[in-house]
Amino acid sequence: MRAAGRVRTLRAGERLFMRGDPDDGLYCVLEGAVRVGAASVAGREALLAVVGPAQWFGEVALFDGGARTHDAYAERDATLFHVPRAALLALLDATPAYWHAFGLLLAQKLRLAFDAIEESALLGACARVARRLLLLSNEYGEAAAATHDASRSRLVINVPQEDLALMLALSRQTVNQILRQFEREGLLALRYGEIEIVDAAGLTAQAQ
């Protein structure tokens, strides 16, 4: 699959594809991030995910041959690996066992979607924010050397509070209040454009 793909770069804000576009294959983020979501006629945005490095996306259309289900834009300058649909289908025709790997990728996304629906219906805002932060720390966090203690690392999520609010369908004010509460409790450290998880165990307790 590597031989069939190509590297593609996007500038911040540049469109990759839109809902309704024909399927053009599978993408993996190498550097940067891609926003996946939708917008209403009035301009209101529903943010499904911010896809970070080492994450694949675009697999839904591979299975049903349909159009793109959401819009995808570069959150910031991004480098992607693109495998065209024709090359993917040729690979799968030659090695049908690979369908299992793509099926697992699709099933993982479906599980996350089910979890999000359940959380929205059953959990309070604090627990939903905590769970999403933990999820983002696994999918999109960056381990960086701590400035005050080079012997340990810190887990930093580079997702703006506004994006976090859009992902959870909560107001930015509500998310900000919850994050400030978590910061006072020593669970997080908030800085411009980033959220550092200081106490993952404490945040996990908030997510219950």
Side-chain angles (χ1 to χ4, degrees), residues 41-96:
V41 176
R44 184 178 178 182
E45 183 182 8
L47 182 60
L48 181 66
V50 178
V51 185
Q55 289 184 283
W56 291 87
F57 64 99
E59 70 281 355
V60 173
L62 173 64
F63 282 85
D64 66 7
R68 292 298 188 187
T69 59
H70 293 86
D71 305 334
Y73 288 85
E75 169 79 359
R76 53 181 184 268
D77 290 353
T79 303
L80 310 176
F81 183 71
H82 174 218
V83 184
R85 179 176 176 82
L88 276 174
L89 294 179
L91 174 67
L92 291 167
D93 284 344
T95 314

Side-chain angles (χ1 to χ4, degrees), residues 147-166:
T147 55
H148 61 280
D149 184 358
S151 66
R152 73 175 185 88
S153 63
R154 59 192 181 98
L155 189 60
V156 175
I157 303 169
N158 298 114
V159 173
Q161 293 183 26
E162 182 177 359
D163 286 355
L164 184 60
L166 287 171

